[in-house]
Every structure is written in C-alpha cells, then in structure tokens.
Amino acid sequence: MNGDRGSGSLTAKNMVVGFDLGKYSVQISYFRGGMDKPQTAEVVTGSEIYNVPMVLCKRRGVNQWFYGRDAIRYHENGDGIMVDNLLQKAVDKETGNIDGMEVDGIALLTLFIKRSLSILGGAGTGRVSDIMFTCEDLGSDVIDVMSRVTEGLKLRNCSVYFQNYAESIYHYMIHQDETIWKGDVLCSHYDGMKLTNYVFRRNLRTMPIVTLVDVGDKIDMPFPQIVTEEARAAAYDRLGRQFLDEVSGLLDAGDFSGIYLLGDGFKDEWYGSCVRSLAGNRRIFLGNDMFSRGACHCLIDKYENGDEPPKHIYLGADKLRSNVGMNVLRRGTESYLALLDAGVNWYELKSEHELFLPEDHVLRFVIIPLDGGVHEVREIELQGVPERDEDTLRVKLSIRMSDLNTVQLHVEDVGFGELFPSTGKTWDLTMEL
C-alpha cells in the first residue's frame, strides 16, 4: 500500500479502479482524467450487466479455467467443476484437489480477480495506476489475504489500497448533491439473504466536520421462494413488512434526508409500497454500484485534493482517532513532529524518523484526540542506552500499528558519524493508545 499521490497528476492515460469484492459477485468502477465521474464496467460492452459472479470453473481434463458467467454456463452444461465462496476460501487458507490439480484459496482468488479485471478492456485505453479493493468486512485476516493476492497479480507500477463498505459509502456520499445529505442518510444493503443498514451522519460542531458511517448488525431476511404467481403478492407483502420493521426505528431516531436501497435483493420490485411510506421529505435512490464508485472516488481524491485542508474527515472503525507526534528541537526551536495522522486506516500507518535522544533517554509522545479531547503526553524510557554525549545519541525511530489501539516502536542506534559508529543496539516497544 502506498501513500497519497499528490495533486493534479491524474491524466487520461492513467486509470484508477474501484473493485467491489462482494460475497457473491464483484463490480468494477473506473475513472480517467477527463471523465466527469466514475463509470462501472459492463461485463460485455452494451449489455448493461455489471455484476461478475464470484465463481471459477475448471474444464474437466484440461488446465483451462473460466470465471463469472462463463464459469456458471460451463458448470451447468456439465463440462467443468465450479468453485465458489472464493474470498472465504482464501481467508480460511483452504487447499484441495480439483480435477487432479492441487490448488489453494489464495491462488484461486488471485486468478479470479486477474480474469475479472479483463472487463476493463471495454473501458478504453489507460494504464491502471491505482486499485482500491472494497469489501464488507476488512479484518486483519482479509488484509493479509488481499496483500498476498495483489502480490500474485503482479500489477506493475500500480498502487493498491483497501477499505470497507462503510468508508466507500462515505466517499460516494460526499461527492453527491449536498441536498441529499443535508441530514442523515440511510443506506440499506440487501443481498437477498441478509440486510445490513448503514447510517451516514455528520457532526457539524467540529472542524473539519467529523463524519461517521454507523454499521448495523446483519439481519436475516432471505428472499422468499415463490412457487406460484398467486403466492407472489403475499410473499412480497411479508418481505416489505419485515423491511419496514427493521428500518422504521432507525429513521424515527434521526433526521434523515436520503435513503439508498443497495444490492441484488432490491432488483425485484417488492419494496414499492413500503418505500412510499418511508419517503416523506426524503429522497430515495435505487442502486447497485455505490461501493465500487465510492472506492473510485477515494482514489480520485488522493490525486486531486493534494495539501488542501479537508472540509470533512471520516472516522470509521479502522481509523486512528488521535494524532500522534513529538515535540522536537529543530535548529534550536521547539516544533511538532507528526508521526501518525488521525483519520487514516490503522493498517496503512507507518513512519520513520531519525532524531537525537534527550539526556534522560525518554521518548515523549504527544497524543491529540481528533474530537478535541485533552492532549496527553506518553513517556517511554529506553534502557541500556550507550554511554555517549547527548548530542551524539542519534537513533532511527520506526513506527507502525498492529491494531487500532496498539503502536509498535522500533528504535535503532545509528551512531554519529565516524567518531561514534552504531553499536547495533535496538529496542522494540509497544504503546497502547
């Protein structure tokens, strides 16, 4: 994962890609310089089909693999062996024998993503310079899997990033008409089996404006198996009433200006009557590619925002809630050295600096909460420091995070010129936030 790209460097020759890694299917959105907004790639140009089923199929007797709709067709014809649930198989580190071939979950997921990226061929020319993968849940196990997958993709000169659905909703929303999100916004994602409600809301009392996307529990809401046409109306009515029961309490508890209905579960128009009862003064939208487009918008902002102070800042479950820094001397004047920035995903945070140890060998870290809370100074003393003059105790401080609340510190004596070569002494320390 690489850092921000800076300002104004996205051209028509460079393409950024938002890749929605769903449970059952994927979608791919893209943007090049000169475009008005991200577009979602069609499986076949002109088909208006955007979902790629997340399956592979191996043709029997030969080392030939198909993906997506072709995989389903070959399997239904009896010509191949289909493999589904690819992301979970990779996370679970599954291995197995498929038609005499030993394969593992990471390799299968890598193959599927590589094949599915081929639909970008219909999006015109342009080198993929950045990819943002977005998925529902982004734990450390998924991040580890996707890091290994991207290594296998061998994407040359391409930066790869990860974010969850909640963050993709944030980046999508702030690029829409502000009248939609003048209040809270409900985004209901229904895949035909489970319903997940996301609530986009802002704290207008902070500057920059702190924005959150609250994620509700996954609710069992299986789409009914409709046997006869006569049963359809009753089944749709039951589904609509369950949906109303699940979202009415949320809507009553806030000031909502917009509602988005997302996912394949909304493709049949069972929701018409219940949505009308929710509308009022709220704007209601039906969509299926918010996550991939939101991921794309995030990449665009990495190019276009540059050093401009943000008006909004997103604080999701994976975001660091406090700035971490040190007060250091620069040419005799005390100044603040930023080490870790709040509002960034913990797994993306790392920094490295060289500095001189103070006389008491104590590293003092300044913790500044983003919500305006009390600043805190955290002290960590290094033991066994080489006996040298204070002005020659130069060390390299490397920082990374192992989870949202744990900072890993690696300190190394780098010496001071030829007079005081490095002793090779190192310290590995942990700081809880």
Side-chain angles (χ1 to χ4, degrees), residues 85-95 105 141 145:
N85 207 16
L86 297 177
L87 179 57
Q88 194 59 50
K89 281 182 168 61
V91 170
D92 293 341
K93 300 180 173 60
E94 283 193 23
T95 60
D141 53 351
V145 162

Side-chain angles (χ1 to χ4, degrees), residues 345-398:
N345 292 318
W346 65 264
Y347 47 82
E348 293 182 308
L349 285 166
K350 55 186 175 181
S351 65
E352 190 173 277
H353 303 273
E354 289 192 0
L355 47 90
F356 289 94
L357 285 180
E359 186 176 4
D360 58 3
H361 307 157
V362 174
L363 298 174
R364 293 175 174 85
F365 298 92
V366 183
I367 315 297
I368 308 173
L370 198 64
D371 61 5
V374 178
H375 296 193
E376 181 183 352
V377 176
R378 200 72 58 80
E379 296 186 348
I380 297 181
E381 182 178 1
L382 300 185
Q383 302 292 332
V385 175
E387 294 185 5
R388 296 203 303 263
D389 185 77
E390 174 187 355
D391 294 334
T392 67
L393 288 174
R394 190 163 59 98
V395 297
K396 181 167 70 175
L397 172 64
S398 302

Side-chain angles (χ1 to χ4, degrees), residues 2-59:
N2 296 339
D4 289 358
R5 290 291 197 163
S7 176
S9 55
L10 186 60
T11 70
K13 294 182 179 180
N14 287 13
M15 182 189 297
V16 297
V17 171
F19 196 113
D20 174 8
L21 201 61
K23 185 175 182 180
Y24 305 112
S25 63
V26 304
Q27 287 186 342
I28 304 174
S29 295
Y30 62 94
F31 180 88
R32 294 188 306 274
M35 293 175 60
D36 294 331
K37 59 184 179 181
Q39 299 293 326
T40 302
E42 297 173 312
V43 174
V44 177
T45 303
S47 67
E48 296 187 4
I49 297 173
Y50 306 100
N51 283 16
V52 181
M54 199 172 177
V55 293
L56 288 169
C57 181
K58 182 186 181 297
R59 192 171 182 178

Side-chain angles (χ1 to χ4, degrees), residues 24 44 46 117 167 169 179 196 338 381 393:
Y24 305 112
V44 177
L117 282 170
E167 187 167 1
I169 287 174
T179 60
T196 306
E381 182 178 1
L393 288 174

Side-chain angles (χ1 to χ4, degrees), residues 2-17 31-33 127-132 157-161 171 175 295-308:
N2 296 339
D4 289 358
R5 290 291 197 163
S7 176
S9 55
L10 186 60
T11 70
K13 294 182 179 180
N14 287 13
M15 182 189 297
V16 297
V17 171
F31 180 88
R32 294 188 306 274
R127 180 182 65 84
V128 176
S129 56
D130 303 80
I131 295 181
M132 175 71 78
N157 301 315
C158 179
S159 297
V160 179
Y161 307 85
H171 285 287
H175 287 279
C296 218
H297 275 299
C298 180
L299 293 175
I300 297 167
D301 287 345
K302 289 180 181 292
Y303 280 92
E304 296 183 351
N305 286 352
D307 297 326
E308 180 182 342

